Amino acid sequence: MKRYDAIKKIIETVNDEIIVCNLGAPSRELYDISDREENFYMLGSMGLSSSIAFGIAISQPNRKIICIDGDGSILMNLGSLSTISNNNPNNLTLIIIDNSSYGSTGNQKTYTSNKTRLEIIAKGAGFDSIIVIDKEDQIIPALENLESGCHFVLIKTQPGNAKVENVPLLPEEIKERFRKVIS
Ligand SMILES: [Mg+2]
């Protein structure tokens, strides 16, 4: 399974959830699979999608928030895991698609290709609910069985980006329509 396949399965479980998506290839793939006003496509600020999703989760406690992040991005913002788990929002699912590579910059290997295990880091950061998935058909049952809470979901995939177009929306358009849908 590649990242594109994983996002496709994630989207099959989504209704009106807010999705904050990591920049670059993941956002392009999400746009290609299912553009929605509830999608917030990161265009910069690498590493901060989990922090932004957490901020939305605590300010919108009645909405369900999904963050689609990557291994390279979360590795550069590991402090976010402690911030999230200690504040324990009841409405946040942090999904890390771990393809062991910096997909958007040429598939250079990340340290999860070697010794680093993100699920163990998440455990140490204080997450109680940790799910590791390495098969495509596990994604929908795993996500559909999640109750409200603060969840860390690691999906292991192969490296590689789908051949999809850029997100054609201007940054202002993404911001304005997203602001409208969460207000
Ligand atoms: Mg990656």
Side-chain angles (χ1 to χ4, degrees):
M1 138 174 76
K2 292 196 175 171
R3 185 205 303 108
Y4 189 89
D5 309 308
I7 295 176
K8 224 170 168 179
K9 293 291 181 193
I10 293 167
I11 284 298
E12 283 183 48
T13 70
V14 163
N15 298 307
D16 64 347
E17 288 90 336
I18 298 290
I19 298 182
V20 178
C21 188
N22 191 22
L23 79 172
S27 275
R28 291 199 292 276
E29 292 179 1
L30 173 61
Y31 181 89
D32 185 76
I33 292 163
S34 175
D35 179 41
R36 316 153 58 243
E37 292 183 341
E38 295 88 351
N39 293 354
F40 186 74
Y41 306 105
M42 302 276 296
L43 297 173
S45 308
M46 181 174 173
L48 291 181
S49 48
S50 60
S51 302
I52 291 171
F54 168 64
I56 297 170
I58 55 174
S59 65
Q60 301 273 334
N62 297 320
R63 300 289 299 256
K64 285 177 87 177
I65 318 296
I66 295 170
C67 177
I68 300 178
D69 207 351
D71 50 310
S73 287
I74 197 69
L75 281 172
M76 63 189 288
N77 185 20
L78 288 174
S80 178
L81 296 176
S82 301
T83 306
I84 293 170
S85 67
N86 282 277
N87 288 278
N88 201 26
N90 201 31
N91 56 341
L92 178 61
T93 301
L94 174 56
I95 301 175
I96 310 290
I97 300 182
D98 180 3
N99 58 8
S100 297
S101 67
Y102 293 99
S104 300
T105 58
N107 291 318
Q108 300 89 347
K109 286 181 178 177
T110 69
Y111 286 132
T112 69
S113 71
N114 192 6
K115 297 206 287 193
T116 299
R117 295 294 168 262
L118 290 170
E119 68 275 27
I120 297 175
I121 294 175
K123 180 85 183 153
F127 275 84
D128 295 318
S129 167
I130 296 170
I131 298 167
V132 179
I133 293 170
D134 58 8
K135 291 187 182 63
E136 202 175 325
D137 61 5
Q138 297 169 333
I139 295 175
I140 290 178
L143 295 182
E144 283 184 342
N145 281 332
L146 287 182
E147 314 219 327
S148 346
C150 180
H151 308 286
F152 181 93
V153 179
L154 186 75
I155 304 178
K156 298 288 292 180
T157 73
Q158 300 295 313
N161 307 319
K163 287 194 172 63
V164 294
E165 299 297 319
N166 285 332
V167 175
L169 304 168
L170 294 170
E172 292 80 3
E173 289 176 304
I174 296 172
K175 182 187 75 176
E176 288 308 328
R177 70 178 202 164
F178 186 70
R179 186 177 273 173
K180 213 175 278 174
V181 86
I182 64 168
S183 59

